[in-house]
Amino acid sequence: MAKVPSAVVAAGGLVGGYGVARWTKKRQLGGAVLAVAGAAAARQWRERAGGAAAGALTATYVVAFAGSHPLAERVGAWPAVFGVAGVVGAAAWVVADRRG
């Protein structure tokens, strides 16, 4: 069975977490989606690229989530979420996914 690329898991976690929080009006549920996807991506990053890369990508994921909030004030919520998801997805692809 083919694995879903970590870039898709991470970007999907950011977009999905926001979408769930927005549509259910339960921020904790969106946070759970964000956390589960982040943990799954981190596991893949560690397996594919090693601990240091996994740590750096996990930090990127967390900073992107936090950074999407002030960015949303400037460009809107969905553009901010898609923007940071794109950055995280691209970073994950470059560091961990493109090799295999």
Side-chain angles (χ1 to χ4, degrees):
M1 182 165 114
K3 283 189 174 183
V4 175
S6 68
V8 173
V9 174
L14 289 161
V15 173
Y18 175 69
V20 166
R22 181 172 178 142
W23 290 317
T24 65
K25 305 221 185 306
K26 296 187 186 319
R27 293 178 69 174
Q28 299 86 350
L29 190 55
V33 170
L34 181 80
V36 168
R43 189 176 124 257
Q44 287 182 298
W45 294 331
R46 188 177 59 249
E47 290 172 359
R48 294 177 184 174
L57 287 169
T58 300
T60 303
Y61 185 80
V62 171
V63 168
F65 166 69
S68 69
H69 292 82
L71 182 59
E73 294 176 9
R74 293 178 179 257
V75 299
W78 279 112
V81 170
F82 284 128
V84 299
V87 169
V88 170
W93 183 82
V94 167
V95 173
D97 292 337
R98 74 176 168 169
R99 297 180 197 172

